[in-house]
Amino acid sequence: AQSVAQPEDQVNVAEGNPLTVKCTYSVSGNPYLFWYVQYPNRGLQFLLKYITGDNLVKGSYGFEAEFNKSQTSFHLKKPSALVSDSALYFCAVRDGGGANNLFFGTGTRLTVIP
Amino acid sequence: SQTIHQWPATLVQPVGSPLSLECTVEGTSNPNLYWYRQAAGRGLQLLFYSVGIGQISSEVPQNLSASRPQDRQFILSSKKLLLSDSGFYLCAWTQKTSPLHFGNGTRLTVT
């Protein structure tokens, strides 16, 4: 069965510093991995995905994620954090079945401190 | 372009009352449709998904049901709400290998 784990409930970073939000995955077969962001009282917004190809995936709002097969990780990164990046971030993995269901991690709340 | 609409945005219902939340998608055909619930602003729980009209798969047994009467319409229902049904309900769609696209959610409070 597919699953992802986000080991940190909360990440705090100073504005302008690099940020990392961690995610590890467990899949049978090739991983299809995603990052989403959620602002208060809103739905989730797609940031980026890894299907195949380059291990460094670039996405929206200056975010990128690094796929590491040996460590089964897909950490979200940004070189310089903005206060507006403060939100809830979810890692997700897609199952290989016809329904294309996504299974989400428990989320990491990112707070960027001015 | 594709859009997804969910309503209402907020809902307060007494215990034992019925529920109907509606979700519609525009600009695409034959999407996969999903209902998720998010409790306490954290993890998402997949409740139902549908790969076509009248085809509903339930991921967890509970007090809720779903229906897909039209290709781009997905409805979440309950005959009698429980306090534990409170939460943030999110509808989403996808097609083939595209990312999952979410509506803005409905915050349900059962009192």
Side-chain angles (χ1 to χ4, degrees):
Chain A
Q2 270 72 310
S3 66
V4 292
Q6 294 181 244
E8 302 159 314
D9 285 346
Q10 174 82 42
V11 169
N12 296 327
V13 64
E15 186 177 22
N17 283 4
L19 69 87
T20 298
V21 182
K22 295 179 181 178
C23 173
T24 58
Y25 65 89
S26 174
V27 301
S28 53
N30 294 324
Y32 292 179
L33 298 161
F34 302 79
W35 275 102
Y36 285 80
V37 60
Q38 186 182 31
Y39 298 99
N41 295 311
R42 300 300 297 269
L44 280 69
Q45 296 178 33
F46 169 73
L47 280 179
L48 51 81
K49 66 179 178 181
Y50 173 83
I51 303 296
T52 186
D54 287 343
N55 290 340
L56 187 64
V57 179
K58 294 189 182 296
S60 306
Y61 312 121
F63 283 94
E64 57 190 27
E66 186 170 10
F67 172 70
N68 188 316
K69 187 173 183 178
S70 63
Q71 297 183 6
T72 62
S73 66
F74 189 56
H75 301 331
L76 182 70
K77 300 182 179 184
K78 187 172 183 180
S80 178
L82 301 173
V83 173
S84 58
D85 292 330
S86 298
L88 190 55
Y89 290 82
F90 289 96
C91 182
V93 63
R94 171 170 277 166
D95 76 7
N100 286 326
N101 293 341
L102 278 190
F103 295 96
F104 288 85
T106 51
T108 299
R109 187 165 301 283
L110 172 69
T111 301
V112 181
I113 303 164
Chain B
S1 63
Q2 301 92 350
T3 55
I4 179 169
H5 303 279
Q6 243 189 281
W7 65 93
T10 59
L11 190 60
V12 180
Q13 292 283 102
V15 168
S17 64
L19 173 73
S20 181
L21 301 181
E22 190 161 344
C23 171
T24 59
V25 180
E26 296 177 358
T28 187
S29 60
N30 198 30
N32 288 356
L33 297 171
Y34 306 81
W35 279 109
Y36 285 86
R37 177 168 59 198
Q38 186 178 28
R42 295 310 292 256
L44 284 86
Q45 180 186 34
L46 178 63
L47 301 176
F48 301 95
Y49 68 90
S50 172
V51 298
I53 296 174
Q55 300 178 59
I56 308 295
S57 296
S58 173
E59 288 295 300
V60 291
Q62 56 199 321
N63 187 42
L64 302 169
S65 62
S67 62
R68 185 171 178 174
Q70 300 181 48
D71 182 43
R72 290 167 289 178
Q73 184 184 28
F74 205 25
I75 298 171
L76 183 69
S77 304
S78 173
K79 292 182 179 178
K80 287 186 177 182
L81 283 169
L82 306 172
L83 285 175
S84 57
D85 292 324
S86 293
F88 192 49
Y89 288 82
L90 291 160
C91 182
W93 73 273
T94 188
Q95 199 165 43
K96 297 180 182 178
T97 59
S98 72
L100 208 58
H101 302 277
F102 286 85
N104 282 331
T106 295
R107 183 160 302 284
L108 172 66
T109 303
V110 182
T111 60

